[in-house]
């Protein structure tokens, strides 16, 4: 099943978008996080099926929200295996067309490590996705050891700072410097910068000081079911009005 974590514009705390996060409803264990099963799925060759489910379910939910008057761009995680598939752009475009969703409402997130691992094969697929208007986000930035030359070659529109740096930046000067540098780098490359894992007002204020664009984390909200996200969207709209 999919849960959705809201993403807020830091300058005015307006809800701007959300990230679709997969969970497994286990009959005995309850809700199981992706850390417990995604790697197993990759090892057993079924990550493609899971990704297709996530994409189709997210598109279905986006259509439902639009019919209710909720217009929230949606980020979806994909794996290294997905970005080597030349069929992904066509599959995704057909899915969006079938659900009458504009391509600029969807951003695909890829971890920095996956990009480094599959750089040669991924470039064509990523370029085709961007040409079709689909956003691309480099996730967990700072943990995958990509070089600036690699980053410059890839058509990303968004950079996400890994939560491990955000969580430490109030007491760790190196982590704080990395966060600041990532924000500056993202802006120099004309990317939107998103901070993950915001948990305190102190972290939020420092990110605002560094001019970070978007944030998500438990300070705002944990991942929630679609109906709960609709309520958050309504609250955000009324607070702005």
């Amino acid at each position: 099943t999919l849960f959705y974590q809201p993403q807020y514009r830091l300058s005015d705390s307006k809800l701007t978008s959300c990230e679709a996060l997969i969970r497994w409803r286990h009959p005995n264990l309850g809700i199981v996080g992706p850390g417990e099963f995604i790697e197993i799925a990759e090892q057993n060759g079924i990550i493609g099926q899971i990704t297709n489910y996530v994409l189709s379910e997210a598109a279905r939910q986006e259509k439902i929200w639009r019919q209710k008057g909720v217009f929230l761009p949606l980020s979806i995680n994909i794996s290294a295996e997905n970005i080597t598939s030349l069929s992904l752009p066509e599959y995704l475009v057909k899915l969006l067309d079938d659900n009458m969703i504009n391509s600029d409402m969807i951003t695909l997130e890829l971890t920095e490590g996956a990009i480094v691992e599959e750089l040669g094969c991924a470039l064509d697929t990523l370029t085709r996705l961007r040409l079709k208007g689909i956003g691309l986000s480099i996730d967990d930035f700072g943990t995958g050891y990509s070089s600036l030359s690699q980053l410059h070659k890839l058509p990303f529109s968004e950079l996400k700072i890994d939560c491990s740096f955000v969580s430490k930046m109030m007491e760790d000067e190196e982590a704080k410097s990395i966060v600041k540098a990532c924000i500056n780098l993202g802006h120099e490359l004309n990317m939107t910068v998103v901070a993950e894992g915001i948990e305190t007002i102190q972290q939020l204020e420092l990110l605002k000081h560094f001019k970070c664009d978007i944030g998500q984390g438990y300070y705002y909200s944990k991942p929630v079911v679609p109906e709960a996200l609709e309520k958050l969207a309504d609250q955000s709209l009324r607070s702005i009005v």
Side-chain angles (χ1 to χ4, degrees), residues 42 78-81 83-84 110-119 122 139 144:
E42 290 176 334
I78 61 174
S79 73
E81 179 180 317
I83 59 174
T84 62
L110 304 93
T111 64
E112 189 181 4
I115 296 162
V116 172
E117 181 182 340
E118 299 290 349
L119 182 63
D139 196 10

Side-chain angles (χ1 to χ4, degrees), residues 128-162:
R128 290 166 67 194
L129 287 165
R130 282 299 292 137
L131 288 173
K132 294 179 184 298
I134 295 162
L136 294 174
S137 176
I138 180 168
D139 196 10
D140 299 341
F141 187 73
T143 63
Y145 309 106
S146 65
S147 70
L148 292 181
S149 62
Q150 288 174 324
L151 186 62
H152 177 67
K153 293 175 184 176
L154 297 166
F156 284 93
S157 53
E158 180 182 279
L159 183 153
K160 296 190 78 172
I161 304 172
D162 187 68

Side-chain angles (χ1 to χ4, degrees), residues 76-234:
I76 304 167
N77 294 278
I78 61 174
S79 73
E81 179 180 317
N82 302 135
I83 59 174
T84 62
S85 170
L86 295 179
S87 64
L88 178 64
E90 285 69 29
Y91 173 81
L92 186 53
V93 167
K94 183 178 186 306
L95 192 61
L96 296 179
D97 287 344
D98 289 346
N99 288 277
M100 295 177 289
I101 298 170
N102 292 336
S103 58
D104 61 2
M105 294 293 285
I106 298 295
T107 294
L108 300 181
E109 295 189 12
L110 304 93
T111 64
E112 189 181 4
I115 296 162
V116 172
E117 181 182 340
E118 299 290 349
L119 182 63
C121 299
L123 185 57
D124 184 41
T125 300
L126 297 178
T127 301
R128 290 166 67 194
L129 287 165
R130 282 299 292 137
L131 288 173
K132 294 179 184 298
I134 295 162
L136 294 174
S137 176
I138 180 168
D139 196 10
D140 299 341
F141 187 73
T143 63
Y145 309 106
S146 65
S147 70
L148 292 181
S149 62
Q150 288 174 324
L151 186 62
H152 177 67
K153 293 175 184 176
L154 297 166
F156 284 93
S157 53
E158 180 182 279
L159 183 153
K160 296 190 78 172
I161 304 172
D162 187 68
C163 60
S164 63
F165 300 118
V166 174
S167 66
K168 297 175 184 175
M169 66 180 183
M170 301 309 300
E171 62 275 352
D172 185 330
E173 286 298 319
E174 288 186 356
K176 180 163 65 173
S177 296
I178 289 171
V179 169
K180 183 178 181 180
C182 288
I183 293 169
N184 291 336
L185 175 62
H187 288 162
E188 286 293 324
L189 295 174
N190 296 314
M191 296 183 190
T192 299
V193 181
V194 181
E196 296 183 291
I198 302 173
E199 295 187 351
T200 69
I201 184 65
Q202 291 82 10
Q203 293 169 352
L204 172 61
E205 290 301 324
L206 185 57
L207 289 165
K208 289 169 68 174
H209 176 70
F210 289 157
K211 307 299 183 184
C212 186
D213 303 301
I214 306 293
Q216 66 185 91
Y218 280 21
Y219 174 79
Y220 288 113
S221 172
K222 64 181 182 180
V224 296
V225 297
E227 294 77 15
L229 191 68
E230 293 168 20
K231 293 179 180 179
L232 290 173
D234 182 60

